[in-house]
Amino acid sequence: MRCSSCSLDAAIYIRHLRRALCPAHLEQYLVEKVRRVVEGHLPPRGGLLLVAVSGGKDSAAAASLLKELSGEAGFRLGLVHVDLNIGSYSEACRRAAVELAESIGAPIALIDLEGVLGAGVVEVAERVGRPTCSACGVVKRYLLNLAALEAGAHRLATGHNLDDIAAYALKAHLTQEGDYASKLLRHTEGFEGFVGRLRPLMEVEEREALVYALSKPLPFSHEECPHFNRRGIELKAKRFLMSVEADSPGFKASFIRRLAKRPPVGGAEPRLGRCDLCGLPSSAGRCAFCRMMRRALGEAWEPGALRGAVAEAVAKLK
Ligand code: SF4
Ligand code: ZN
Ligand code: ZN
């Protein structure tokens, strides 16, 4: 198949556009998509946009596409990777994140859980009796925000793609659990102690990100986390949405847009106070992360040393 815009071989066929694209034209198409999504939400000239890179294809694609925009928009791009210490999976992810940083020419900060907490995510989860993914979510959310704060970043970008967001929203809608409204936004505003989020791949399909990462090519890890729940509702929701999309191209994007207009599940936003240990925003007296760390690491655990270690890790991004 030939590219619809030039004579080169196509890497992908975009069904809703009825166009085949070669790697260069796919990049152009995705850069324009990302530009539309992030427009008006980028850091000012000289400001830092921090991208959370997991080592996987999506955050690699997000970092690379944002790098394409950083020159003309004049913001600085930095990467941050949290090493969860999940055996060979984490080793592969860390290696890929470092290689990605080299390949796109962006500085990277590495936060090693065992280094900053003295325990990997599996150990933390076991000690508090929580499912690994649940503990992992709390740890990643907290550390990425802390890294962005310490680096003085204007925004924190994540690699969630259209399929991730649509599947999350469908699951939340079906189970009526959690407030998914903020997850359907391209960006969320920051406030004291919280760095605003950016979802540059909000309108980029998983297959588009994969083909882009393969054809560029970008370094990324193909390994799946051993704790990933292949029986989870979210994966089923993702497959269901893909099958609908196959018959109705454009369905996922319009599903999200329609859902984003509905009132959030669960009523009003909780009022945020401050965590009595770390001082960061929390809807309870103590934030979920500090509560979990006290249970996992003992009542003597204090967040001060962690904050210092994270500040040291991100110092090179400033
Ligand atoms: Fe963390 Fe679960 Fe994802 Fe593994 S699958 S990286 S444990 S959230
Ligand atoms: Zn082309
Ligand atoms: Zn706290």
Side-chain angles (χ1 to χ4, degrees), residues 142 275-282 286-291 301 303:
Y142 186 88
C275 171
D276 66 350
L277 267 185
C278 69
L280 293 183
S282 167
R286 181 164 296 175
C287 75
F289 178 80
C290 287
R291 267 184 282 139
W301 179 82

Side-chain angles (χ1 to χ4, degrees), residues 84 86 89 132-133 136-137 140 225 227-228:
L84 301 162
I86 306 178
Y89 163 74
T132 313
C133 290
C136 186
K140 281 190 292 197
C225 177
H227 300 281
F228 180 67

Side-chain angles (χ1 to χ4, degrees), residues 9 12 32 48 60 63 71 75 90 126 133 142-143 151 165 183 192 196 208 229 241 257 273 279-280 300 304 309:
D9 283 347
I12 191 169
E32 288 314 313
L48 176 66
F75 61 86
S90 287
E126 277 169 2
C133 290
Y142 186 88
L143 288 182
I165 295 165
K183 300 257 186 351
E192 201 191 331
E208 294 172 344
N229 181 5
L241 287 164
R257 277 187 220 116
L280 293 183

Side-chain angles (χ1 to χ4, degrees), residues 13-293:
Y13 182 71
I14 311 286
R15 287 191 62 206
H16 68 275
L17 293 180
R18 298 186 182 177
R19 288 176 72 81
L21 300 175
C22 68
H25 281 107
L26 171 63
E27 179 166 70
Q28 201 180 72
Y29 165 68
L30 294 180
V31 166
E32 288 314 313
K33 248 189 193 189
V34 169
R35 191 198 306 277
R36 280 197 304 276
V37 166
V38 301
E39 206 153 45
H41 310 303
L42 288 171
R45 287 199 164 266
L48 176 66
L49 176 60
L50 190 62
V51 188
V53 290
S54 63
K57 66 184 189 318
D58 298 307
S59 50
S64 173
L65 292 164
L66 288 167
K67 181 70 184 170
E68 294 294 321
L69 291 176
S70 65
E72 66 190 66
F75 61 86
R76 290 177 296 126
L77 193 80
L79 313 184
V80 59
H81 172 74
V82 178
D83 185 335
L84 301 162
N85 306 115
I86 306 178
S88 63
Y89 163 74
S90 287
E91 282 164 22
C93 288
R94 183 182 178 128
R95 227 178 4 254
V98 170
E99 285 171 16
L100 172 72
E102 276 169 20
S103 117
I104 65 169
I108 185 166
L110 298 171
I111 298 173
D112 184 285
L113 264 205
E114 271 178 12
V116 297
L117 289 175
V121 78
V122 178
E123 198 178 339
V124 168
E126 277 169 2
R127 288 195 196 176
V128 297
R130 279 174 89 146
T132 313
C133 290
S134 146
C136 186
V138 173
V139 166
K140 281 190 292 197
R141 262 194 305 280
Y142 186 88
L143 288 182
L144 290 173
N145 183 53
L146 187 58
L149 284 171
E150 292 295 338
H154 285 79
R155 292 243 184 243
L156 175 66
T158 57
H160 297 107
N161 61 43
L162 174 60
D163 296 68
D164 296 331
I165 295 165
Y168 177 83
L170 179 57
K171 177 191 164 191
H173 198 63
L174 291 172
T175 59
Q176 292 289 292
E177 277 173 9
D179 169 15
Y180 58 80
S182 66
K183 300 257 186 351
L184 304 180
L185 303 173
R186 297 162 173 207
H187 77 110
T188 48
E189 286 303 329
F191 47 88
E192 201 191 331
F194 178 81
V195 177
R197 301 296 150 96
L198 198 55
R199 300 185 181 94
L201 302 190
M202 177 99 200
E203 296 189 356
V204 175
E205 289 189 53
E206 190 160 308
R207 63 187 276 272
E208 294 172 344
L210 175 63
V211 174
Y212 173 66
L214 287 170
S215 65
K216 181 88 176 156
L218 297 172
F220 69 92
S221 167
H222 295 252
E223 272 198 46
E224 184 174 272
C225 177
H227 300 281
F228 180 67
N229 181 5
R230 298 206 66 81
R231 292 174 156 191
I233 298 175
E234 220 157 314
L235 186 59
K236 292 187 174 113
K238 196 180 254 192
R239 288 188 182 136
F240 167 74
L241 287 164
M242 279 178 178
S243 71
V244 178
E245 180 87 20
D247 291 330
S248 312
F251 175 82
K252 285 178 294 195
S254 63
F255 168 66
I256 288 187
R257 277 187 220 116
R258 281 196 302 270
L259 217 49
K261 290 184 189 146
R262 296 171 71 93
V265 178
E269 289 274 314
R271 284 170 62 89
L272 288 181
R274 296 273 143 188
C275 171
D276 66 350
L277 267 185
C278 69
L280 293 183
S282 167
S283 54
R286 181 164 296 175
C287 75
F289 178 80
C290 287
R291 267 184 282 139
M292 193 166 80
M293 287 308 122

